[in-house]
Amino acid sequence: MNLHYQKIGNGQKILLAFHGMGQDFSCFLKFAETFENQYTTYLFDLPFHGKNEGTENSMITKEVWENFMTDFLQENEISHFSVIAFSMGGRFALATVEFFSERIKELYLLAPDGVSEDPVYTLATRFGFSRKIFHTVLKHNHKLYTPAEMLVKVGLVHESVLKFAKMMVDTPQKQKQLYQAWIGFYQLRFDIKKIANLINLQHIEVKIFMGKYDKVMPIHKVLPLSKRIKPTQFVILEATHGRLVDKTLRYLGKGN
């Protein structure tokens, strides 16, 4: 597996940046430019995203990720590094911790996916029949808008979640991307107790940022990890899911 990435900055510390669903390397571009004297940042396009959109359907297993990272670190002569990840990128951050914890200095997690398994995601991705149903639902997602809006009205689904869901599947290209990513990444799931033990053993400096108004990745989703470690920062920002990266940059830019 080969992934496109951009290298920004000339800082002594190395930072690997993993974006969220439907994004590309530019997710953390402002961050890399702001801290270019502190970090040399490698901004990745994750599988099925950015310049890797043309990737054929494939399963990104932990072994695939470990092999890619091993080659990447060797080719770029990187011994130790930090990681920043948003949303879906959290799965890649956790996989990196699992295999390379002794080389990680800092871990920035912004509303990370992969800490808690969502039952809907599990059902949609784990079985052949459910994947077919998921594919059909994506192709005909407009038929679900009316019942979904009814769930919003009775308070079972937050309006921001429905808005986010519509945005993620409003074109055939986005539908394909979401399907590829959900199916392709489903083996990236983790024993959070094991991950926490690795973080504590290696004394990795962890900073977690969550959005107060984030209904896509609410705060309780990260508690299985945060309760087992001692993050140097656990910050709840006045942000929705879509604004969390910008709000985190502003927070860190003020010297916090």
Side-chain angles (χ1 to χ4, degrees), residues 11 28 34 41 44 62-63 65 74 84-85 91 114 118 127 129 143 152 160 168 182 189 209 215 244 246 253:
F28 287 111
T34 300
T41 304
F44 289 87
K62 290 183 179 180
E63 182 181 8
W65 185 248
Q74 182 176 348
I84 187 169
R91 289 184 180 266
D118 188 288
F127 310 103
F129 75 91
K143 294 182 179 180
V152 170
S160 63
M168 295 303 298
W182 271 37
R189 56 189 191 274
F209 298 89
K215 303 301 180 180
L244 185 59
D246 288 341

Side-chain angles (χ1 to χ4, degrees), residues 144-162:
L144 299 177
Y145 288 168
T146 298
E149 287 167 356
M150 291 179 64
L151 292 176
V152 170
K153 288 182 179 180
V154 298
L156 295 178
V157 175
H158 195 275
E159 184 178 5
S160 63
V161 175
L162 178 58

Side-chain angles (χ1 to χ4, degrees), residues 39 65 76 103 116 164 175 210:
Y39 292 102
W65 185 248
N76 290 278
R103 301 171 72 171
S116 300
F164 179 79
Q175 293 164 19
M210 304 296 289

Side-chain angles (χ1 to χ4, degrees), residues 42 103 128 162 240 249 251:
Y42 292 83
R103 301 171 72 171
L162 178 58
T240 60
L249 174 57
Y251 178 87

Side-chain angles (χ1 to χ4, degrees), residues 200-217:
N200 293 329
L201 179 65
Q202 299 299 331
H203 304 289
I204 299 173
E205 185 177 337
V206 180
K207 299 179 181 180
I208 299 173
F209 298 89
M210 304 296 289
K212 182 177 181 180
Y213 309 112
D214 188 346
K215 303 301 180 180
V216 176
M217 192 62 65

